[in-house]
Amino acid sequence: MAHTFEDLVKLEQAAEDARARLAHPDVDYDEQWEAWREAAGIFQTAVTKHAEAEGKPRVDVEMAVKKAVRHAEG
C-alpha cells in the first residue's frame, strides 16, 4: 500500500521521536535504539513505495518529508 505524504510525515515524526528518546537517562538505550531503528526502517520503506507509486525520485520525497517535519518542529 502506498502511503500519502501526510502518512510519511507521521512516520518520520515517529522515528524522530524515537531518536529523541535516546537522550533520556531513564530509558534502556539498547531497547530504545532498536525502536528508533525499526521506526526509521518503516519510514524508509514507506518513502520508497510512495516514490515509486508517484513516479518521483525517492530522494526528493524523503527530503520533502524531512523538511515538513523539521519545519513543523519550529
Side-chain angles (χ1 to χ4, degrees):
M1 168 184 138
H3 295 273
T4 66
F5 185 81
E6 292 76 19
D7 292 338
L8 297 177
V9 169
K10 290 177 185 174
L11 291 171
E12 172 62 2
Q13 186 61 61
E16 282 300 304
D17 291 347
R19 183 194 58 76
R21 284 190 293 278
L22 285 170
H24 292 229
D26 59 336
V27 299
D28 179 292
Y29 184 86
D30 292 333
E31 186 177 299
Q32 188 55 44
W33 186 89
E34 183 61 31
W36 172 35
R37 190 188 69 76
E38 183 176 331
I42 291 168
F43 168 70
Q44 293 295 328
T45 299
V47 167
T48 299
K49 290 180 181 180
H50 180 82
E52 289 172 352
E54 296 291 317
K56 295 179 179 177
R58 188 196 175 292
V59 68
D60 291 351
V61 172
E62 182 176 357
M63 291 300 102
V65 172
K66 289 182 179 282
K67 183 178 179 182
V69 169
R70 280 146 186 84
H71 179 68
E73 290 177 352

